[in-house]
């Protein structure tokens, strides 16, 4: 065991922790974020990086003053997003990169709009309490895109694992649509289900079945034909439920489930529902923590 220090940029303050050195070929990424006195990044090599410039709660002039503000980590563990204390604007960073400000998203609307980010951290979508969408931003291009079809009456369901497609459902009529990053329609399907995950084939989607949050069932949907599979019961341990549903880049079905000590991640058979444990993550002793790929709220984010 030895101490190490993250080589951080000026806006990040590194705090060394003891831990085993990471393998040379394995890049250091963000394991999760946690909030103590300020937001912190816990890295995969055990180091902790403070983010003192990130707001923890909405400012006094916000619609919901004092409400918890979003702090997100992209699914690849390389990008993090936060509202700045200086002006309430939403910003994106990497561990050693420059801050990029997304001016169309601000802390003033905390609790009325909530952001979601793609796995590679390059695209942001905000949902609203309207219902409907707020803004859609291509972070790499620094461009805010117009609403698809000239209307905000969409419900955002998720990104494909490769971040090249967006899955949305019309608020009126319920039609499920797959868009590319330019928000051009690539596939449209009519289904009574509400898919929340899209595979990298851009055709297969997964929809939870039953009453959230205590459900272990799902169905797969072919968005080209609109046909759905039979109900698949995920064989999780007693007391665990499907809290988060997704596909990995190879098209395998992935479920995250809250446990008594943290979160468990499973690969699920699309035919039998057998759940194979991939890994567990122990919850740190903090009030709030955020895993890579989380939306603004997940069942495990706040300490009960």
């Amino acid at each position: 065991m030895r101490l190490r220090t993250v080589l951080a940029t000026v806006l990040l303050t590194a705090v060394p922790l003891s831990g085993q050195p990471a393998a040379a070929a394995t890049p250091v990424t963000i394991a999760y974020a946690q909030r103590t006195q300020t937001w912190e990044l816990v890295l995969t090599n055990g180091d902790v990086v403070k983010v003192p410039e990130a707001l923890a709660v909405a400012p006094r002039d916000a619609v919901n003053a004092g409400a918890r503000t979003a702090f997100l980590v992209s699914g690849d563990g390389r990008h993090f997003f936060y509202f700045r204390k200086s002006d309430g604007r939403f910003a994106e960073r990497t561990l050693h990169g420059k801050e990029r400000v997304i001016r169309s998203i601000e802390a003033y609307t905390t609790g009325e709009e909530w952001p979601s980010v793609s796995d590679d951290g390059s695209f942001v979508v905000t949902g609203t309490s309207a219902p409907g969408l707020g803004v859609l931003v291509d972070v790499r291009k620094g461009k805010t895109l117009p609403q698809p079809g000239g209307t905000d009456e969409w419900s955002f369901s998720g990104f494909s694992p490769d971040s090249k497609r967006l899955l949305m459902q019309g608020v009126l009529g319920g039609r499920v649509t797959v868009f590319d990053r330019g928000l051009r329609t690539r596939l449209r399907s009519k289904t009574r289900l509400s898919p929340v995950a899209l595979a990298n084939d851009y055709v297969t989607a997964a929809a939870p079945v039953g009453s959230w949050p205590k459900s272990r069932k799902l169905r797969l949907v072919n968005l080209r034909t609109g046909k759905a599979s039979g109900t698949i019961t995920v064989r999780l341990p007693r007391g665990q439920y499907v809290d988060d549903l997704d596909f990995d880049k190879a098209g395998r079905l992935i479920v995250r489930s809250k446990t008594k000590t943290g979160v468990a991640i499973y690969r699920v058979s699309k035919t039998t529902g057998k759940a194979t444990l991939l890994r567990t993550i122990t919850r740190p002793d903090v009030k709030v923590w955020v895993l890579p790929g989380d939306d603004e709220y997940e069942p495990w984010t706040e300490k009960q």
Side-chain angles (χ1 to χ4, degrees):
M1 307 285 278
R2 64 187 180 90
L3 296 178
R4 298 175 312 278
T5 302
V6 176
L7 184 61
T9 54
V10 176
L11 290 178
L12 300 179
T13 305
V15 178
L17 291 183
S18 4
Q20 295 293 337
T26 304
V28 175
T29 57
I30 302 165
Y32 58 87
Q34 63 184 20
R35 199 183 78 197
T36 54
Q37 297 301 313
T38 187
W39 278 105
E40 300 172 341
L41 304 172
V42 179
L43 308 186
T44 50
N45 67 353
D47 289 331
V48 174
V49 176
K50 292 184 181 295
V51 191
E53 67 272 27
L55 272 172
V57 297
R60 293 180 182 179
D61 63 348
V63 176
N64 297 292
R68 173 188 155 190
T69 53
F71 190 106
L72 301 177
V73 179
S74 62
D76 61 10
R78 297 176 183 274
H79 305 257
F80 57 101
F81 297 76
Y82 56 90
F83 289 98
R84 302 194 302 186
K85 288 180 180 177
S86 60
D87 58 7
R89 300 293 186 182
F90 201 52
E92 177 268 341
R93 291 286 307 277
T94 58
L95 286 173
H96 308 297
K98 294 181 180 180
E99 184 181 71
R100 287 193 279 194
V101 179
I102 303 171
R103 299 187 180 279
S104 51
I105 306 175
E106 54 186 355
Y108 175 79
T109 58
T110 292
E112 302 299 323
E113 292 191 344
W114 45 92
S116 297
V117 305
S118 62
D119 189 77
D120 65 358
S122 66
F123 210 100
V124 179
V125 177
T126 64
T128 75
S129 58
L133 297 182
V135 296
L136 301 97
V137 182
D138 188 319
V139 179
R140 288 178 182 164
K141 295 181 178 179
K143 182 180 180 182
T144 299
L145 284 75
Q147 299 281 350
T151 176
D152 64 353
E153 301 217 348
W154 295 96
S155 172
F156 178 69
S157 301
F159 296 95
S160 59
D162 63 8
S163 304
K164 293 181 179 180
R165 295 289 187 272
L166 295 82
L167 181 67
M168 300 188 200
Q169 190 160 13
V171 175
L172 301 176
R175 191 172 291 274
V176 176
T177 305
V178 177
F179 294 96
D180 62 21
R181 290 172 58 94
L183 301 185
R184 294 175 290 265
T185 299
R186 293 299 184 182
L187 185 62
R188 184 172 289 157
S189 180
K190 192 169 185 179
T191 173
R192 294 181 179 179
L193 298 174
S194 296
V196 298
L198 177 68
N200 269 350
D201 62 5
Y202 314 140
V203 172
T204 308
V209 176
S211 300
W212 190 91
K214 293 189 175 182
S215 175
R216 295 190 182 93
K217 298 180 179 181
L218 60 91
R219 297 179 75 181
L220 299 176
V221 184
N222 183 315
L223 297 179
R224 184 168 287 127
T225 64
K227 293 183 178 180
S229 71
T231 299
I232 301 166
T233 300
V234 182
R235 290 152 57 185
L236 294 170
R238 183 184 296 273
Q240 288 183 224
Y241 303 95
V242 176
D243 293 316
D244 193 86
L245 180 60
D246 211 343
F247 292 92
D248 66 12
K249 291 183 178 179
R252 294 168 294 204
L253 196 58
I254 303 296
V255 161
R256 291 195 291 177
S257 178
K258 183 178 179 180
T259 69
K260 291 181 179 179
T261 59
V263 178
I265 301 172
Y266 299 90
R267 181 176 65 247
V268 176
S269 168
K270 297 175 183 177
T271 54
T272 67
K274 179 182 178 181
T276 301
L277 181 65
L278 299 179
R279 63 190 176 109
T280 58
I281 305 171
T282 302
R283 191 193 202 291
D285 187 21
V286 296
K287 184 177 180 181
V288 180
W289 71 315
V290 176
L291 291 172
D294 277 357
D295 283 328
E296 185 170 1
Y297 176 79
E298 300 285 359
W300 47 78
T301 56
E302 295 187 9
K303 193 172 186 179
Q304 302 297 319

